Amino acid sequence: MDYHIERLPSGLLLFKITRAEKRNAVNFEVMEGLQKAIDRAQSTDVRALVVTGEGEQAFCSGGDLSVFHALRTEEEAYSMLSKMGEILYNLAVLPKPTIALINGAAVGGGCEIATACDFRIAKIGAKLGFIQGSLAITTGWGGGTLLFERIQAPHALKLLSEASIYRAEQLDQIGFINQVVDEANEAEAEQFLEKELSIQSEVLSAYKQIQIRMWEVSRLHERMMQEVRECTVLWAKDEHHQAVDTFLNGKNNH
Ligand SMILES: CC[C@H](C(=O)O)C(=O)SCCNC(=O)CCNC(=O)[C@H](O)C(C)(C)COP(=O)(O)OP(=O)(O)OC[C@H]1O[C@@H](n2cnc3c(N)ncnc32)[C@H](O)[C@@H]1OP(=O)(O)O
């Protein structure tokens, strides 16, 4: 399996991408697993959902380029992008606390997954970046739209437009990372939520619903799907396919 789902004794549900050899890149199996974890998290025996990656080197390196580079047309791209866009919307509106436990590099769609969570805890020194622009596309799973919901607009616009890599400590300063930790292990996630876990789940859910209602009014889902559609157009262009080929050829020539 390319993912692992486990309910911890504390009541946290852990979703872990287990593709360390590919820096926990997202393929269709990982997408389906994330949706399964979101569905499982609806159960009353789950207090919160934690998303993380296997190993010490990466949280998630975004879409699996060795799989998704085969998607050439707008129709093919939209099918994948919209599937994950819906899943990240479902993650964002889960009426329970969600944490991205960033155990290593989070780039591209990996940053989008982290942005769909309420909170981001990152290992000191972890590298993060919305690098989609360097592949001649925008964010395509709704993560750009969500970023403008999480941090101040000037910071969001700069992170997306620069398409650069930053360290967790830098992003802590602008509020994208909520806590920088030594290991980014389960105990640190549980400690981050320690006070919430002593509060009735109905209270936590009611507070999350305030945010969800705001997003209903501001049409978050529609805005995320518009981002998906705009990425779809860019995806099908030669510039994107050439950028991906360059990455893959570079790896093949190692
Ligand atoms: C809408 C979202 C959008 C999408 O595609 O759907 C995106 O997510 S666009 C962004 C796609 N992701 C990337 O461009 C990231 C590419 N990877 C890297 O930049 C680096 O691998 C990094 C920074 C994540 C980690 O660097 P490190 O030096 O630690 O590892 P290596 O680069 O040597 O990679 C090890 C191994 O993993 C394979 N790998 C890494 N990332 C991906 C990926 N996204 N898809 C497929 N495979 C990936 C890499 O090819 C190496 O494989 P190997 O067989 O050992 O050569």
Side-chain angles (χ1 to χ4, degrees), residues 147-218:
L147 186 62
F148 281 94
E149 301 292 329
R150 301 293 186 193
I151 62 177
Q152 291 176 358
H155 291 312
L157 191 58
K158 197 138 180 58
L159 284 188
L160 294 167
S161 303
E162 286 185 346
S164 295
I165 298 282
Y166 311 87
R167 291 196 177 280
E169 305 86 293
Q170 293 174 276
L171 301 183
D172 182 25
Q173 291 171 10
I174 62 169
F176 180 63
I177 295 299
N178 302 100
Q179 190 175 62
V180 176
V181 292
D182 292 332
E183 301 296 330
N185 58 34
E186 296 154 18
E188 286 164 326
E190 289 168 345
Q191 188 174 11
F192 181 82
L193 285 180
E194 186 181 11
K195 292 186 173 65
E196 289 93 325
L197 292 178
S198 67
I199 301 295
Q200 282 294 102
S201 54
E202 292 82 353
V203 172
L204 301 183
S205 177
Y207 280 134
K208 185 72 177 280
Q209 291 287 2
I210 294 173
Q211 185 172 43
I212 293 166
R213 285 195 294 271
M214 283 168 54
W215 284 340
E216 286 167 353
V217 171
S218 68

Side-chain angles (χ1 to χ4, degrees), residues 50-63:
V50 179
V51 177
T52 194
E54 177 188 59
E56 301 290 317
Q57 291 178 290
F59 167 75
C60 175
S61 59

Side-chain angles (χ1 to χ4, degrees), residues 6-14 45-49 190 197:
E6 177 187 358
R7 182 186 177 279
L8 303 177
S10 58
L12 269 59
L13 188 71
L14 187 71
D45 70 333
V46 171
R47 298 299 316 272
L49 174 61
E190 289 168 345
L197 292 178

Side-chain angles (χ1 to χ4, degrees), residues 21-23 61-65 109 112 131 140-141 247 251:
E21 75 288 349
K22 292 273 188 182
R23 298 300 181 269
S61 59
D64 186 331
L65 296 170
E112 297 192 58
I131 60 167
W141 290 344
F247 171 81
K251 292 302 172 185

